[in-house]
Every structure is written in C-alpha cells, then in structure tokens.
Amino acid sequence: SVAVYYSNYGVLLQELGDLKGAKPMLEKALFLAKKESGDNHVELAIRYSNLGVLFIEMVDYVEAKSMIEKALEIVKREYEDDHPKVAICYSNLGFVLKGLEDFSGAEEMFVKALSFAKQTYKKNHPSIAIRSLNLGSVYLDMEDIKLALHYIQTAHEIFENALGADHPNTKGAKKWLDHTQAQLNKNP
C-alpha cells in the first residue's frame, strides 16, 4: 500500500536524523492508512506507533503519548496482552511517561514489558536485558539506586553473556552500571 511506502520513507529519514523530514511522511502514512483501512484497523497501530516514536525523539512527549496510547488501544483490542505488539507499546509508553517525569507510570509500563519478555524469551535473551535496563533507568530517576543497580546489573550480565564484552549494547549497559555504582557509592 502507499501508506507503507510513506511510512518506510519516514522511518528511513528518522533513522538518518531528519526528524523534520520524517514527520510529514509519517503523518501522510497515518492519513492514508486511515483512508484505506478505517479508524480501528491494526495497520493504524503501526502508523500511530511510528509517529509516537518520532515524537519521543523530538522530545514532544504530549504528542508522543497521544499517538502511543492510540496504538496501544488498537493492539489491545486485536491481540492478547502477551503479544509482542502490545509489549512494544508498553515500552514506548514507558519512555513517554519517563520523559513526562511520571516515573511510577513508566515503571508500570516497563514492568509489563519485562514480564512479557520473561514469558517469551530464554532468561539470557537480549530483549530481557533491554527491558531490564529500561526499568533500571526509571529506578534511577526515582532515586531507588539499589533497585536500579539490580536491573542494570542484570542487563549488563545478559548482554555480556549473549553478545560479548565488545558489543555496543554491552558497552552501553556497562556505562549505566558504572554510573549507578557511582551513585550508590555517593549515597550508600
């Protein structure tokens, strides 16, 4: 469909860092998807989610929240709570709420996403590490350093075992781990 073309082009521009160029492409994709499929088709969830992620990158959390909540509403109607698309919406909404400094709301979304990952993947899968790192970052924001350390340490261990010490995800988790340990040392 033409909506997919606009969406793919918008996501490509976003990946290249052209957020202003990506926005009209993703908006056009959403408009066309509504025209082609109606207001509640699962295809719309993808378009809403793409726009929501763009708005997160643009630090427009109010718009991002609106888009991601619409995506979540559609996917929850179409899929069970343990479907990957639902979990992705939970993670995206977690990032939005974190950006809006609604840390308890972000925690709730990241816990749901982590729970899904634990049910779906083996215990040392990078998807569990990603969700653990997200949750740990919220606990840092909430100044629960010990709990943050637990989740960030878990993420680092999984990344290191699954991907190796030189992988960018492992290195990124190591930076989070060092930062968290420094915070803990400052405020034991």
Side-chain angles (χ1 to χ4, degrees), residues 31-65:
F31 171 79
L32 291 171
K34 281 183 181 179
K35 192 172 169 184
E36 292 169 5
S37 305
D39 283 338
N40 292 314
H41 193 274
V42 74
E43 181 74 18
L44 279 181
I46 296 166
R47 306 301 156 235
Y48 281 125
S49 189
N50 286 348
L51 262 171
V53 170
L54 175 70
F55 286 126
I56 290 170
E57 285 190 43
M58 295 174 84
V59 195
D60 185 346
Y61 296 116
V62 172
E63 276 297 315
K65 185 175 187 239

Side-chain angles (χ1 to χ4, degrees), residues 7 13 39 45 53 71-72 100 111 126 144:
S7 183
L13 290 173
D39 283 338
V53 170
L72 181 59
L100 291 169
V111 165
D144 189 339

Side-chain angles (χ1 to χ4, degrees), residues 121-183:
Y121 304 109
K122 293 179 181 175
K123 71 177 190 172
N124 285 323
H125 194 279
S127 290
I128 293 173
I130 291 166
R131 274 116 183 133
S132 295
L133 192 58
N134 293 344
L135 190 53
S137 75
V138 169
Y139 288 128
L140 270 178
D141 291 331
M142 296 170 82
E143 298 182 6
D144 189 339
I145 309 300
K146 289 181 182 176
L147 199 51
L149 182 63
H150 165 75
Y151 284 99
I152 293 168
Q153 206 163 30
T154 298
H156 179 259
E157 288 170 11
I158 292 171
F159 280 139
E160 193 166 54
N161 290 332
L163 305 173
D166 292 330
H167 191 277
N169 288 2
T170 308
K171 289 179 178 181
K174 177 68 170 130
K175 287 180 183 176
W176 275 98
L177 183 58
D178 291 345
H179 171 75
T180 306
Q181 286 173 329
Q183 292 293 317

Side-chain angles (χ1 to χ4, degrees), residues 55-84:
F55 286 126
I56 290 170
E57 285 190 43
M58 295 174 84
V59 195
D60 185 346
Y61 296 116
V62 172
E63 276 297 315
K65 185 175 187 239
S66 172
M67 294 294 123
I68 292 170
E69 284 177 339
K70 288 176 184 176
L72 181 59
E73 180 183 321
I74 294 168
V75 296
K76 284 183 83 171
R77 223 182 5 254
E78 295 292 322
Y79 302 108
E80 297 294 321
D81 218 30
D82 62 351
H83 192 278

